Amino acid sequence: QVQLVESGGGLVQAGGSLRLSCSASRTIFNFNSLDWYRQAPGKQREIVATITSAGTTGYADSVKGRFTISRDNAKNTVYLQMNSLKPEDTAVYYCNARNGVGLVLGSWGQGTQVTVSS
């Protein structure tokens, strides 16, 4: 099993930017996909961005055009660049990996809190 540690969250005003990082305990190049999720208070965890081993990316409609996911295989790290942040982006953000049939591979970490003030 892979351990993943998220960092980079914080408090930011609406319209601001943050860059989240997710460091893995082992090599990430062969994971089918690496994903960022978020969970707001009282809501279910949702996937917001994904990047495949081939580098193909996908985004939830709510973040499309504002968030960018990237990966650095040499550093075993996945990033989430978040621009034009909105108060509704406030949540705890998590990362994880999935295999070819969509099964989550890592244990869920503490996540990193993102708070966007209006």
Side-chain angles (χ1 to χ4, degrees), residues 24-117:
S25 60
R26 65 175 181 86
T27 186
I28 65 171
F29 81 94
N30 58 343
F31 289 136
N32 189 71
S33 71
L34 290 153
D35 315 295
W36 281 97
Y37 302 75
R38 68 185 181 189
Q39 186 168 20
K43 295 188 176 181
Q44 287 191 331
R45 186 175 294 163
E46 62 173 347
I47 191 167
V48 294
T50 187
I51 185 166
T52 70
S53 56
T56 302
T57 58
Y59 301 92
D61 287 343
S62 58
V63 308
K64 201 171 293 184
R66 301 187 297 121
F67 290 11
T68 303
I69 188 171
S70 61
R71 59 195 291 167
D72 186 334
N73 290 341
K75 296 182 178 180
N76 296 332
T77 301
V78 184
Y79 304 98
L80 186 67
Q81 178 67 44
M82 305 187 297
N83 298 328
S84 302
L85 282 162
K86 305 175 181 180
E88 51 263 43
D89 295 318
T90 295
V92 179
Y93 284 71
Y94 304 87
C95 64
N96 218 313
R98 284 183 289 157
N99 64 11
V101 294
L103 290 178
V104 171
L105 298 172
S107 54
W108 293 102
Q110 296 292 318
T112 186
Q113 175 71 49
V114 171
T115 303
V116 184
S117 63

